[in-house]
Amino acid sequence: MFASVLSTMGSVLVALYQASPLSPGGHSALHPSAPQAAHIEWLYWVIFWICFSAFVLTFAVFTRGSARTYISQPEPLPPIKEHPNDSKAVWYVGGAIAVTVLSLFAVLFMSVITGKQVEGATAEKNVLTIQITGHQWWWEIQYPNSQAYQTITTANEIHVPAGRRVIILTKSADVIHSFWAPSITGKRDVIPGPSSAFSFEVDKPGIYHGQCAEFCGLQHAHMGFSVIAEPEDQFEAWEKEQIAPARDPTTPDQLRGRQVFLTHACVMCHTIRGTDAGSRVGPDLTHIASRKMIAAETLPNTRGDLAGWISDPQVIKPGTLMVPNPMQPDDLQALITYLGSLQ
Ligand code: CUA
């Protein structure tokens, strides 16, 4: 039995080590893409090996003890008397307790050190500050700027320049959420009231998935986000596009779509900068066509998915604040064409 337990543990180990490489848009705490996540991964393996050794040792001693005292014929228990090995046993047990306590203190010490490394220094110049607000159930992302018109507001997709330090300021608009991009850094609770800050820098360009990690209501599982790390020039190009107000319609269909947007419930909750729509209940849609996903990573940003989402979001994310929007098929098509033009 010992052998079979060991072989099972062995295959689990192999699976952990050979975990397939991180696919674009995926996430894994065992595939760090930022120094912060690398520190956490190191601590993970240290604790893993301590626990694994303790398990193997305990199991070996237990197996040996069971084999020794195996009695084929039940016989009455002998009277308890002092055994010459008793004092030796005291030393063994005492030693095991000492090793356990020492290991726990070692883990505590390494956790504190890792925590300090993850915090890191934020005194560098040229840091990028991003404000993140948790909503039920999506993430509002802002790039504050002293010039209000240069502030970028978007949703669920956090563009960052690869290799540059990013400071994230968090707040919540409603309940407690938790910001977690496992390939980048540890979980950070997003709490109503106090704002908190943490920082990271992503090593290499790529798309890294993140997820709300604190149960926050019915659609907690559909509260994903992406960290999109780009080379500096691509990031700057993105920034420039996002700062600009929405494009004006260039076709009759797009014009009709904008009219539909401004005369339906959309305008009650969303902003499209450059139009009369300025509400901040839901995500800013000024550049919605530049986003890969909609509804906090629930659906890809395609015409069909967008049509389904607008028509009846309650079917896709029951409980979401967005209301169903029944409308004429032509109006819906025009609306989607207009939204699709908002690059
Ligand atoms: Cu937000 Cu869970």
Side-chain angles (χ1 to χ4, degrees):
M1 184 168 87
F2 189 50
S4 76
V5 169
L6 266 192
S7 80
T8 312
M9 296 287 292
S11 24
V12 169
L13 263 183
V14 171
L16 269 176
Y17 263 122
Q18 292 184 338
S20 53
L22 191 63
S23 55
H27 69 254
S28 165
L30 299 181
H31 286 110
S33 295
Q36 290 71 23
H39 292 310
I40 295 170
E41 192 213 12
W42 175 83
L43 182 65
Y44 169 86
W45 284 114
V46 169
I47 295 176
F48 178 88
W49 284 115
I50 290 176
C51 296
F52 185 76
S53 317
F55 175 82
V56 171
L57 268 174
T58 312
F59 205 78
V61 171
F62 172 76
T63 310
R64 187 151 176 266
S66 322
R68 263 187 170 182
T69 52
Y70 179 73
I71 300 161
S72 53
Q73 291 267 283
E75 41 185 88
L77 285 171
I80 297 172
K81 54 177 193 279
E82 189 86 359
H83 192 278
N85 276 349
D86 275 4
S87 62
K88 235 161 109 192
V90 168
W91 279 104
Y92 281 129
V93 172
I97 293 173
V99 169
T100 307
V101 171
L102 282 177
S103 320
L104 287 176
F105 271 100
V107 167
L108 175 68
F109 178 71
M110 286 181 288
S111 303
V112 172
I113 297 287
T114 305
K116 288 236 180 295
Q117 285 169 327
V118 169
E119 278 324 304
T122 49
E124 297 158 46
K125 282 175 274 173
N126 199 24
V127 288
L128 175 71
T129 303
I130 304 176
Q131 169 80 56
I132 287 179
T133 309
H135 293 260
Q136 282 174 316
W137 293 280
W138 59 284
W139 302 91
E140 185 179 356
I141 321 288
Q142 273 196 319
Y143 296 69
N145 194 294
S146 51
Q147 306 287 327
Y149 73 95
Q150 290 204 329
T151 292
I152 295 169
T153 306
T154 180
N156 309 317
E157 290 177 15
I158 307 164
H159 286 249
V160 299
R164 203 189 329 163
R165 173 75 69 157
V166 177
I167 294 182
I168 304 277
L169 307 173
T170 64
K171 61 180 182 187
S172 168
D174 35 50
V175 299
I176 302 176
H177 304 275
S178 183
F179 180 95
W180 191 29
S183 300
I184 291 172
T185 190
K187 288 176 192 170
R188 295 293 171 144
D189 279 2
V190 176
I191 299 167
S195 173
S196 71
F198 62 96
S199 72
F200 60 74
E201 69 247 28
V202 184
D203 293 331
K204 45 185 186 286
I207 302 174
Y208 306 99
H209 183 247
Q211 173 63 41
C212 178
E214 178 75 38
F215 182 70
C216 55
L218 199 54
Q219 294 300 331
H220 154 69
H222 290 140
M223 192 171 164
F225 62 92
S226 284
V227 176
I228 302 173
E230 298 163 312
E232 193 75 41
D233 53 333
Q234 271 181 40
F235 173 75
E236 275 166 21
W238 174 84
E239 248 185 337
K240 214 179 222 170
E241 274 185 12
Q242 298 288 314
I243 288 170
R247 294 180 187 197
D248 278 326
T250 51
T251 66
D253 223 22
Q254 290 174 12
L255 196 64
R256 177 173 173 183
R258 183 168 76 175
Q259 214 43 43
V260 171
F261 187 91
L262 294 174
T263 51
H264 283 71
C266 324
V267 76
M268 309 288 285
C269 297
H270 296 282
T271 291
I272 294 183
R273 279 184 297 118
T275 73
D276 290 340
S279 173
R280 289 189 50 197
V281 177
D284 184 305
L285 303 179
T286 308
H287 296 286
I288 184 180
S290 70
R291 305 209 274 265
K292 292 175 173 45
M293 306 283 281
I294 56 169
E297 309 267 288
T298 308
L299 298 170
N301 190 4
T302 65
R303 276 188 78 91
D305 290 290
L306 198 52
W309 175 248
I310 293 168
S311 307
D312 200 351
Q314 296 298 328
V315 168
I316 296 159
K317 264 171 100 161
T320 176
L321 278 186
M322 181 144 156
V323 294
N325 294 282
M327 58 179 82
Q328 295 300 321
D330 286 357
D331 283 347
L332 182 61
Q333 289 300 333
L335 175 60
I336 289 161
T337 303
Y338 171 59
L339 293 175
S341 75
L342 299 179
Q343 275 295 332

